[in-house]
Amino acid sequence: MSFSSSPRLPSGPRRRSLLASAAGAALLAGCSGGPGSGDAGADPSAVDRVRARAARDSAELAGRYAAVIAAHPGLAERLRPLREATVRHAEAFGAVPGASPEASPSVSARAAGPQDGDGAGAGDVPVVEKDALALLAGAERKLAGRRTRALAEVPGELARLLASVAAAGAAHVYLLTEGDG
């Protein structure tokens, strides 16, 4: 009896996939610190401080987006999805919906300025659209960096949330600067 030979896929890609999966699992395990290492294992006050700061930072960034949208209505379609994602980030960190600085354009304009002394005054939205986009990209970049550095301070779920939101911020930077060149 003859057996028909069916084409077989080389085993190389499968092994690579398994190795990549194992490496990813090891990284995730390293981030979580192993079984039973939820947020309860860390200093609760440090975890609360990082979470509160992340919520406040996202709310302030949403305010910056709102101020730029108010000053440059032509950018609204491009910026609205990024602002909405930023509002969801604030909520994920525990901010109360509707209590963020983007409640009104006048409050948003005041909240749009940097909160930690990085140069511009509060409420400064550049007159030129490209400069306003650069302001938002810079704020996103700075915040993504701060969140990445905070990963070492917090355990488990909060660290994963910070990493995810930092990655989203990096994607926002790309979307804000796309077309500049």
Side-chain angles (χ1 to χ4, degrees):
M1 180 180 291
S2 77
F3 292 100
S4 64
S5 64
S6 62
R8 252 183 112 181
L9 294 174
S11 61
R14 183 169 172 224
R15 283 188 212 129
R16 280 192 291 266
S17 297
L18 289 173
L19 288 173
S21 297
L27 285 173
L28 284 176
C31 287
S32 67
S37 71
D39 287 349
D43 176 16
S45 61
V47 170
D48 291 344
R49 278 192 310 273
V50 170
R51 185 182 298 276
R53 169 104 192 238
R56 186 176 59 249
D57 287 345
S58 288
E60 289 171 358
L61 183 59
R64 286 183 184 207
Y65 274 104
V68 171
I69 290 169
H72 299 285
L75 294 174
E77 186 176 331
R78 181 177 179 183
L79 297 181
R80 193 168 289 118
L82 303 178
R83 184 189 150 280
E84 289 169 1
T86 303
V87 168
R88 286 191 303 273
H89 296 158
E91 291 170 358
F93 287 118
V96 178
S100 61
E102 83 264 21
S104 73
S106 61
V107 172
S108 297
R110 286 192 305 274
Q115 301 299 312
D116 49 9
D118 59 7
D124 290 343
V125 175
V127 176
V128 178
E129 285 184 357
K130 186 175 181 177
D131 294 341
L133 292 173
L135 174 80
L136 289 172
E140 287 274 16
R141 188 177 295 114
K142 182 176 180 180
L143 191 51
R146 181 182 309 144
R147 288 178 171 158
T148 301
R149 287 186 301 277
L151 290 174
E153 299 174 28
V154 296
E157 289 303 313
L158 182 54
R160 284 187 279 279
L161 180 58
L162 279 170
S164 177
V165 174
H172 288 186
V173 171
Y174 172 78
L175 292 171
L176 290 165
T177 58
E178 144 186 324
D180 294 350

